[in-house]
Amino acid sequence: MPGLVIEYRLSSGEERSEDWPSVERFRAWAQAEGLRCSWTAYRPDDEGELVVEDKGRL
């Protein structure tokens, strides 16, 4: 199962993009770090294009 690309924006305005195995792992990490952010998770489709998998805010 392919991983996700999660793009997130910190409350400071800084934007980051990282590979994660799941949304749950990203959320657990962000909560443990005390991050306040909004995020969008993308999963590659059969053609390799990134499609939105999930969105949220912490």
Coordinates of all heavy atoms in Angstrom, one line a residue:
M1 N 0.8 -1.2 0.0 CA 0.0 0.0 0.0 C 0.9 1.2 0.0 O 1.7 1.4 0.9 CB -0.9 0.0 1.2 CG -1.8 1.1 1.4 SD -3.0 0.6 2.6 CE -3.4 2.2 3.3
P2 N 0.7 2.1 -1.0 CA 1.5 3.3 -1.1 C 1.3 4.3 0.1 O 0.2 4.3 0.6 CB 1.2 3.9 -2.4 CG -0.1 3.4 -2.8 CD -0.3 2.1 -2.1
G3 N 2.3 5.0 0.4 CA 2.1 6.0 1.5 C 1.4 7.2 1.1 O 0.9 7.3 -0.1
L4 N 1.4 8.2 1.9 CA 0.7 9.5 1.6 C 1.7 10.6 1.6 O 2.8 10.5 2.2 CB -0.3 9.8 2.8 CG -1.4 8.8 3.0 CD1 -2.1 9.2 4.3 CD2 -2.4 8.8 1.9
V5 N 1.4 11.6 0.9 CA 2.1 12.9 1.0 C 1.2 13.8 1.8 O 0.0 14.0 1.4 CB 2.4 13.5 -0.4 CG1 3.0 14.9 -0.3 CG2 3.3 12.6 -1.2
I6 N 1.7 14.3 2.9 CA 0.9 15.2 3.7 C 1.6 16.6 3.7 O 2.7 16.7 4.0 CB 0.8 14.7 5.1 CG1 0.0 13.4 5.1 CG2 0.0 15.7 6.0 CD1 -0.3 12.8 6.5
E7 N 0.8 17.6 3.2 CA 1.2 18.9 3.2 C 0.5 19.6 4.4 O -0.7 19.5 4.5 CB 0.8 19.6 1.9 CG 1.6 19.1 0.7 CD 1.2 19.7 -0.6 OE1 0.2 20.5 -0.7 OE2 1.9 19.4 -1.6
Y8 N 1.3 20.3 5.2 CA 0.7 21.0 6.3 C 1.2 22.4 6.5 O 2.3 22.7 6.1 CB 0.8 20.2 7.6 CG 2.2 19.8 8.0 CD1 2.8 20.5 9.0 CD2 2.9 18.7 7.4 CE1 4.1 20.2 9.5 CE2 4.1 18.4 7.8 CZ 4.7 19.1 8.9 OH 6.0 18.8 9.3
R9 N 0.4 23.2 7.0 CA 0.7 24.6 7.3 C 0.7 24.8 8.8 O -0.4 24.6 9.4 CB -0.2 25.6 6.6 CG 0.1 27.1 6.9 CD -0.9 28.0 6.3 NE -0.9 27.8 4.9 CZ -0.6 28.8 4.0 NH1 -0.3 30.0 4.4 NH2 -0.7 28.6 2.7
L10 N 1.8 25.3 9.4 CA 1.8 25.5 10.8 C 1.2 26.9 11.1 O 1.0 27.7 10.2 CB 3.3 25.6 11.3 CG 4.1 24.3 11.0 CD1 5.6 24.5 11.3 CD2 3.5 23.2 11.8
S11 N 0.8 27.1 12.4 CA 0.2 28.3 12.8 C 1.1 29.5 12.5 O 0.6 30.6 12.3 CB -0.2 28.3 14.3 OG 1.0 28.1 15.1
S12 N 2.4 29.3 12.3 CA 3.3 30.4 12.0 C 3.3 30.8 10.5 O 3.8 31.8 10.1 CB 4.8 30.0 12.4 OG 5.2 28.9 11.5
G13 N 2.6 30.0 9.7 CA 2.5 30.2 8.3 C 3.4 29.3 7.5 O 3.3 29.3 6.3
E14 N 4.4 28.7 8.1 CA 5.3 27.8 7.5 C 4.6 26.6 6.9 O 3.8 26.0 7.5 CB 6.4 27.4 8.4 CG 7.5 26.5 7.8 CD 8.5 26.0 8.8 OE1 8.5 26.5 10.0 OE2 9.3 25.1 8.4
E15 N 5.0 26.3 5.6 CA 4.4 25.2 4.9 C 5.4 24.0 4.8 O 6.6 24.3 4.5 CB 3.8 25.5 3.6 CG 2.7 26.5 3.6 CD 2.1 26.9 2.3 OE1 2.6 26.3 1.3 OE2 1.3 27.8 2.2
R16 N 5.0 22.8 5.0 CA 5.8 21.7 4.9 C 5.1 20.6 4.1 O 3.9 20.5 4.1 CB 6.2 21.1 6.2 CG 7.0 22.1 7.0 CD 7.5 21.5 8.4 NE 8.2 22.5 9.2 CZ 8.5 22.3 10.4 NH1 8.3 21.1 11.0 NH2 9.2 23.2 11.1
S17 N 5.9 19.7 3.5 CA 5.4 18.5 2.8 C 6.2 17.3 3.2 O 7.5 17.4 3.0 CB 5.4 18.8 1.3 OG 4.9 17.6 0.6
E18 N 5.6 16.2 3.6 CA 6.3 15.1 4.1 C 5.6 13.8 3.7 O 4.4 13.8 3.6 CB 6.5 15.1 5.6 CG 7.3 16.2 6.1 CD 7.5 16.3 7.6 OE1 7.0 15.3 8.3 OE2 8.1 17.2 8.1
D19 N 6.3 12.7 3.5 CA 5.7 11.4 3.3 C 5.4 10.8 4.6 O 6.2 10.8 5.6 CB 6.7 10.5 2.5 CG 7.0 11.0 1.1 OD1 6.1 11.6 0.5 OD2 8.1 10.7 0.6
W20 N 4.2 10.2 4.7 CA 3.7 9.5 5.9 C 3.0 8.2 5.5 O 2.4 8.1 4.5 CB 2.8 10.4 6.7 CG 3.5 11.5 7.4 CD1 3.8 12.7 7.0 CD2 4.0 11.4 8.8 NE1 4.5 13.4 7.9 CE2 4.6 12.6 9.1 CE3 3.9 10.4 9.8 CZ2 5.2 12.9 10.3 CZ3 4.5 10.7 11.0 CH2 5.1 11.9 11.2
P21 N 3.1 7.2 6.4 CA 2.5 5.9 6.1 C 0.9 6.0 6.2 O 0.2 5.2 5.6 CB 3.1 4.9 7.1 CG 3.6 5.7 8.2 CD 4.0 7.1 7.6
S22 N 0.5 6.9 7.1 CA -1.0 7.0 7.3 C -1.3 8.4 7.9 O -0.4 9.0 8.5 CB -1.5 5.9 8.2 OG -1.0 6.1 9.5
V23 N -2.6 8.8 7.8 CA -3.0 10.0 8.4 C -3.0 9.9 9.9 O -2.6 10.8 10.6 CB -4.5 10.3 8.0 CG1 -5.1 11.5 8.8 CG2 -4.5 10.7 6.5
E24 N -3.3 8.7 10.4 CA -3.3 8.4 11.9 C -1.9 8.6 12.5 O -1.7 9.2 13.5 CB -3.8 7.0 12.2 CG -5.3 6.8 11.9 CD -5.5 6.6 10.4 OE1 -4.6 6.3 9.6 OE2 -6.7 6.8 10.0
R25 N -0.9 8.2 11.8 CA 0.5 8.4 12.2 C 0.9 9.8 12.2 O 1.5 10.3 13.2 CB 1.5 7.6 11.4 CG 1.4 6.1 11.5 CD 2.1 5.4 12.6 NE 3.5 5.7 12.7 CZ 4.5 5.0 12.2 NH1 4.2 3.9 11.5 NH2 5.7 5.3 12.4
F26 N 0.5 10.5 11.2 CA 0.8 12.0 11.1 C 0.1 12.7 12.3 O 0.8 13.5 13.0 CB 0.4 12.6 9.8 CG 0.4 14.1 9.8 CD1 1.6 14.8 9.7 CD2 -0.8 14.8 9.9 CE1 1.6 16.2 9.7 CE2 -0.8 16.2 10.0 CZ 0.5 16.9 9.9
R27 N -1.1 12.4 12.5 CA -1.9 13.1 13.6 C -1.3 12.8 14.9 O -1.2 13.7 15.8 CB -3.4 12.7 13.5 CG -4.1 13.3 12.4 CD -5.6 12.9 12.3 NE -6.2 13.0 13.6 CZ -6.9 14.1 14.0 NH1 -7.1 15.1 13.2 NH2 -7.5 14.1 15.2
A28 N -0.9 11.6 15.2 CA -0.3 11.2 16.5 C 1.0 12.0 16.7 O 1.2 12.5 17.8 CB -0.1 9.7 16.5
W29 N 1.8 12.0 15.6 CA 3.1 12.8 15.7 C 2.8 14.2 16.0 O 3.4 14.9 16.9 CB 3.9 12.6 14.5 CG 5.0 13.5 14.4 CD1 6.2 13.4 15.0 CD2 5.1 14.7 13.6 NE1 7.1 14.4 14.7 CE2 6.4 15.3 13.8 CE3 4.2 15.4 12.8 CZ2 6.8 16.5 13.3 CZ3 4.6 16.6 12.2 CH2 5.9 17.1 12.5
A30 N 1.9 14.9 15.2 CA 1.6 16.3 15.3 C 1.1 16.6 16.7 O 1.5 17.6 17.3 CB 0.7 16.7 14.2
Q31 N 0.2 15.8 17.2 CA -0.3 16.0 18.6 C 0.7 15.9 19.6 O 0.8 16.6 20.6 CB -1.5 15.1 18.8 CG -2.7 15.5 18.0 CD -3.9 14.5 18.2 OE1 -3.7 13.3 18.5 NE2 -5.1 15.0 18.0
A32 N 1.6 14.9 19.5 CA 2.7 14.7 20.5 C 3.7 15.9 20.4 O 4.2 16.2 21.5 CB 3.4 13.4 20.1
E33 N 3.8 16.5 19.3 CA 4.7 17.6 19.2 C 4.0 18.9 19.6 O 4.6 20.0 19.6 CB 5.2 17.8 17.7 CG 6.1 16.7 17.3 CD 7.5 16.7 18.0 OE1 8.0 17.8 18.1 OE2 7.9 15.6 18.4
G34 N 2.7 18.9 19.8 CA 2.0 20.1 20.2 C 1.7 21.0 19.0 O 1.6 22.2 19.2
L35 N 1.7 20.5 17.8 CA 1.6 21.4 16.6 C 0.2 21.8 16.4 O -0.8 21.0 16.7 CB 2.1 20.7 15.4 CG 3.5 20.2 15.3 CD1 3.8 19.6 14.0 CD2 4.4 21.4 15.5
R36 N 0.0 23.0 16.0 CA -1.3 23.5 15.6 C -1.1 23.8 14.1 O -0.3 24.6 13.6 CB -1.7 24.8 16.3 CG -1.8 24.6 17.8 CD -2.4 25.8 18.5 NE -3.6 26.4 17.9 CZ -4.9 25.9 18.0 NH1 -5.1 24.9 18.7 NH2 -5.8 26.6 17.5
C37 N -1.9 23.0 13.3 CA -1.7 23.1 11.8 C -3.0 22.7 11.1 O -3.9 22.0 11.7 CB -0.6 22.2 11.4 SG -0.8 20.5 11.7
S38 N -3.0 23.0 9.8 CA -4.0 22.4 8.9 C -3.3 21.6 7.9 O -2.1 21.8 7.7 CB -4.8 23.6 8.2 OG -3.9 24.4 7.5
W39 N -3.9 20.5 7.5 CA -3.2 19.6 6.6 C -4.1 19.0 5.5 O -5.3 19.0 5.7 CB -2.5 18.5 7.4 CG -3.5 17.8 8.4 CD1 -3.8 18.1 9.6 CD2 -4.4 16.7 8.1 NE1 -4.7 17.3 10.2 CE2 -5.1 16.4 9.2 CE3 -4.6 15.9 6.9 CZ2 -6.1 15.4 9.3 CZ3 -5.6 14.9 7.0 CH2 -6.3 14.7 8.2
T40 N -3.4 18.6 4.5 CA -4.1 17.8 3.4 C -3.3 16.6 3.1 O -2.1 16.8 2.9 CB -4.3 18.7 2.1 OG1 -5.0 19.9 2.5 CG2 -5.1 18.0 1.0
A41 N -3.9 15.5 3.0 CA -3.2 14.2 2.7 C -3.5 13.8 1.3 O -4.7 13.8 0.9 CB -3.6 13.1 3.7
Y42 N -2.5 13.5 0.5 CA -2.7 13.0 -0.9 C -2.2 11.6 -1.0 O -1.2 11.2 -0.5 CB -1.8 13.9 -1.8 CG -2.2 15.4 -1.7 CD1 -1.6 16.3 -0.9 CD2 -3.2 15.9 -2.6 CE1 -1.9 17.6 -0.8 CE2 -3.5 17.3 -2.5 CZ -2.9 18.1 -1.7 OH -3.2 19.4 -1.6
R43 N -2.9 10.8 -1.9 CA -2.5 9.5 -2.2 C -2.3 9.4 -3.7 O -3.2 9.9 -4.5 CB -3.5 8.5 -1.7 CG -3.1 7.0 -2.0 CD -4.1 6.1 -1.5 NE -4.4 6.2 0.0 CZ -3.6 5.8 0.9 NH1 -2.4 5.2 0.6 NH2 -3.9 5.9 2.2
P44 N -1.3 8.7 -4.2 CA -1.1 8.6 -5.7 C -2.2 7.6 -6.2 O -2.5 6.6 -5.6 CB 0.3 8.0 -5.9 CG 0.7 7.5 -4.5 CD -0.1 8.2 -3.5
D45 N -2.8 8.0 -7.4 CA -3.7 7.1 -8.0 C -3.0 6.2 -8.9 O -1.8 6.1 -9.0 CB -4.8 7.9 -8.7 CG -4.3 8.7 -9.9 OD1 -3.1 8.5 -10.4 OD2 -5.1 9.5 -10.5
D46 N -3.7 5.4 -9.7 CA -3.1 4.4 -10.6 C -2.2 5.0 -11.6 O -1.4 4.3 -12.2 CB -4.2 3.6 -11.3 CG -5.0 2.7 -10.3 OD1 -4.5 2.4 -9.2 OD2 -6.2 2.4 -10.6
E47 N -2.4 6.2 -12.0 CA -1.6 6.9 -13.0 C -0.5 7.7 -12.4 O 0.2 8.4 -13.1 CB -2.5 7.8 -13.9 CG -3.5 7.0 -14.6 CD -4.5 7.8 -15.4 OE1 -4.3 9.1 -15.4 OE2 -5.4 7.3 -16.0
G48 N -0.3 7.7 -11.0 CA 0.7 8.4 -10.4 C 0.4 9.8 -10.0 O 1.2 10.5 -9.4
E49 N -0.8 10.3 -10.3 CA -1.3 11.6 -9.9 C -1.7 11.6 -8.5 O -2.3 10.6 -8.0 CB -2.5 12.0 -10.8 CG -2.1 12.2 -12.3 CD -1.2 13.3 -12.6 OE1 -1.3 14.3 -12.0 OE2 -0.3 13.0 -13.4
L50 N -1.4 12.7 -7.8 CA -1.8 12.8 -6.4 C -3.3 13.3 -6.3 O -3.6 14.3 -6.9 CB -0.9 13.8 -5.6 CG 0.5 13.3 -5.5 CD1 1.4 14.4 -4.8 CD2 0.6 12.0 -4.7
V51 N -4.1 12.6 -5.5 CA -5.4 12.9 -5.3 C -5.7 13.1 -3.8 O -5.0 12.5 -3.0 CB -6.4 11.9 -5.9 CG1 -6.3 11.8 -7.4 CG2 -6.2 10.5 -5.3
V52 N -6.6 14.0 -3.4 CA -6.8 14.3 -2.0 C -7.4 13.1 -1.4 O -8.4 12.5 -1.8 CB -7.8 15.5 -1.8 CG1 -8.1 15.7 -0.4 CG2 -7.1 16.8 -2.4
E53 N -6.8 12.7 -0.3 CA -7.3 11.5 0.5 C -8.1 12.0 1.7 O -9.1 11.4 2.1 CB -6.1 10.7 1.0 CG -6.4 9.5 1.9 CD -6.9 8.3 1.1 OE1 -6.9 8.3 -0.1 OE2 -7.3 7.4 1.8
D54 N -7.6 13.1 2.4 CA -8.2 13.5 3.6 C -7.7 15.0 3.9 O -6.7 15.4 3.4 CB -7.8 12.6 4.7 CG -8.7 12.6 5.9 OD1 -9.7 13.4 5.9 OD2 -8.5 11.9 6.9
K55 N -8.4 15.7 4.7 CA -8.1 17.0 5.2 C -8.4 17.2 6.6 O -9.3 16.5 7.1 CB -8.8 18.1 4.4 CG -8.4 18.3 3.0 CD -9.2 19.4 2.4 CE -8.8 19.7 0.9 NZ -9.4 20.9 0.4
G56 N -7.7 18.1 7.3 CA -8.0 18.3 8.7 C -7.3 19.5 9.3 O -6.6 20.1 8.6
R57 N -7.5 19.6 10.6 CA -6.9 20.7 11.3 C -6.7 20.2 12.8 O -7.5 19.6 13.3 CB -7.9 21.9 11.3 CG -7.4 23.2 11.9 CD -8.4 24.2 11.8 NE -8.6 24.5 10.4 CZ -8.3 25.6 9.7 NH1 -7.7 26.6 10.4 NH2 -8.5 25.8 8.5
L58 N -5.6 20.6 13.3 CA -5.3 20.3 14.7 C -5.0 21.6 15.5 O -4.6 22.5 15.0 CB -4.0 19.4 14.8 CG -4.1 18.0 14.2 CD1 -2.7 17.4 14.1 CD2 -5.0 17.2 15.0

